[in-house]
Amino acid sequence: MVGIILASHGDFANGILQSSSMIFGEQENVKAVTLMPSEGPDDIKAKIEQAIASFENVEEILFLVDLWGGTPFNQTNSLFEEHKDKWAIVTGMNLPMVIEAFGARFSMESAHEIAASILNSSREGIKVKPENLEVVEEKASTNTNQISNVGSPGSFEYVLARIDSRLLHGQVATAWTKTVQPTRIIVVSDAVTKDELRRKLIQQAAPPGIKAHVVPIDQMIKLSKDNEHFGGQRAMLLFENPQDLLRAIEGGVPLKTINVGSMAHSAGKVQPNKVLAFSQDDIDTFNKLKEAGLEFDVRKVPNDAKANMDEILKKAQEELNKLK
């Protein structure tokens, strides 16, 4: 996996690492390096060298730096010259850039490839209000709970439906969108529709060029029955839990396969594998989904091998029975 070093004046690198970890999850092979007011060029160069030495693989390293021409950049660049065939530096570090880089590591194996892929999301993360202050008119990014009825005759083509307690995060925004190429990402959740903070986090994680929405379940059911306005639209649906999915299926959303990506652990749940945790209600709901004819595609990212959902549910039931 490509190592990432965040470098900045002051504590900015530490702060952005903390923020990105809150959104994307804790990361391996990532270090924050800071230049403090009492320090000089040699100090931060030593910190960068120490961070590099902490990585198991020092062949592929991506440096995300706050300012071109500043001391963190200059000292990074002095080390970079001998490794420029493998290493890469991107300046203007911001939160969308870091999140995109985290996600890209799951499908890209070189620092050069990741550096090239994160530029658009870094730029798209810069917005201004009021909008008339924009020098260049941007395409609107629709991250609301309203999906306008514009388009060709026809209904949605569902390219992916996924259960993921983290909803739209780096693995989804990079690996899965590149694989299934949606034109819209739709988070289907009554709870998230009412949560302004979570909606904003989803907006930040949306990849450039793809319209993202958060809609309540009943609205998704209505949209799925609209055969007049969504022709040519490739929809990726994200569900926070199997219960919301079951409501959508029972309401008539025509899904045949569900990708089961992650379900967070909480009190009263058992965890039969690393990424899926179940309560009795979860198991019962998955059995109802199976009875409804759904097939399960259990994997975090497209390159993972598919796991057997029947075996996972059986193991989860056995573990729950032991707790009774």
Side-chain angles (χ1 to χ4, degrees):
M1 179 176 284
V2 175
I4 297 177
I5 293 178
L6 314 179
S8 73
H9 296 79
D11 270 330
F12 177 50
N14 286 326
I16 204 167
L17 177 58
Q18 182 184 55
S19 298
S20 56
S21 297
M22 288 175 62
I23 296 170
F24 197 89
E26 295 296 326
Q27 295 294 301
E28 297 179 354
N29 296 316
V30 177
K31 295 291 183 182
V33 174
T34 60
L35 174 67
M36 303 311 290
S38 61
E39 297 176 330
D42 290 341
D43 296 304
I44 192 167
K45 185 174 183 178
K47 291 181 182 180
I48 295 169
E49 290 174 332
Q50 184 178 9
I52 293 170
S54 71
F55 294 153
E56 292 182 4
N57 176 17
V58 299
E59 292 294 319
E60 295 286 349
I61 298 179
L62 174 65
F63 298 87
L64 305 182
V65 187
D66 59 352
L67 185 66
W68 182 280
T71 299
F73 169 79
N74 291 337
Q75 295 307 309
T76 299
N77 195 44
S78 69
L79 299 170
F80 166 78
E81 287 301 316
E82 295 182 3
H83 304 273
K84 56 186 178 183
D85 59 328
K86 293 284 189 178
W87 293 3
I89 305 173
V90 181
T91 63
M93 176 171 57
N94 60 23
L95 188 57
M97 175 193 294
V98 176
I99 293 171
E100 184 78 6
F102 286 173
R105 294 197 299 171
F106 289 97
S107 58
M108 300 178 186
E109 298 180 355
S110 78
H112 286 188
E113 189 179 11
I114 295 174
S117 74
I118 65 177
L119 294 179
N120 283 338
S121 61
S122 306
R123 293 164 181 155
E124 288 285 334
I126 301 172
K127 307 289 184 183
V128 65
K129 282 196 173 184
E131 288 81 357
N132 59 11
L133 297 179
E134 290 280 3
V135 177
V136 179
E137 183 178 356
E138 297 181 348
K139 293 182 180 180
S141 176
T142 309
N143 291 277
T144 70
N145 62 343
Q146 299 296 323
I147 301 180
S148 57
N149 289 338
V150 292
S152 305
S155 55
F156 282 122
E157 176 187 357
Y158 299 100
V159 295
L160 182 75
R162 176 178 172 94
I163 295 174
D164 191 325
S165 55
R166 292 163 61 193
L167 294 171
L168 180 53
H169 55 91
Q171 292 173 354
V172 177
T174 55
W176 280 109
T177 57
K178 286 181 173 66
T179 298
V180 302
Q181 298 184 337
T183 58
R184 298 176 187 257
I185 297 174
I186 307 174
V187 172
V188 185
S189 170
D190 292 349
V192 181
T193 301
K194 300 172 184 177
D195 190 327
E196 183 177 357
L197 175 59
R198 295 187 70 190
R199 288 176 58 189
K200 287 182 178 179
L201 293 178
I202 289 168
Q203 179 178 356
Q204 291 175 346
I210 300 177
K211 294 182 178 180
H213 313 267
V214 178
V215 303
I217 299 168
D218 287 344
Q219 185 179 354
M220 187 65 237
I221 293 171
K222 292 178 181 177
L223 293 171
S224 72
K225 298 176 181 178
D226 186 332
N227 299 319
E228 300 297 329
H229 303 97
F230 297 114
Q233 295 295 321
R234 297 167 57 83
M236 174 193 290
L237 304 189
L238 301 177
F239 297 88
E240 191 173 19
N241 54 63
Q243 290 79 14
D244 286 353
L245 172 63
L246 181 61
R247 276 187 56 195
I249 294 295
E250 291 176 340
V253 179
L255 301 176
K256 297 180 180 179
T257 301
I258 184 71
N259 169 236
V260 185
S262 73
M263 293 172 57
H265 188 272
S266 60
K269 290 193 175 188
V270 296
Q271 193 164 352
N273 69 11
K274 293 181 179 180
V275 295
L276 299 178
F278 299 86
S279 65
Q280 186 62 58
D281 185 33
D282 293 330
I283 294 175
D284 294 342
T285 302
F286 273 109
N287 286 330
K288 291 178 182 177
L289 290 168
K290 184 177 179 180
E291 291 172 1
L294 255 72
E295 296 182 359
F296 302 117
D297 173 11
V298 186
R299 49 184 172 153
K300 289 193 301 181
V301 293
N303 290 337
D304 285 348
K306 295 182 182 181
N308 187 307
M309 191 63 174
D310 289 337
E311 292 180 359
I312 293 172
L313 290 174
K314 181 180 178 181
K315 184 176 179 181
Q317 187 65 70
E318 289 173 351
E319 292 183 12
L320 280 171
N321 290 341
K322 292 178 182 178
L323 298 177
K324 294 179 180 178

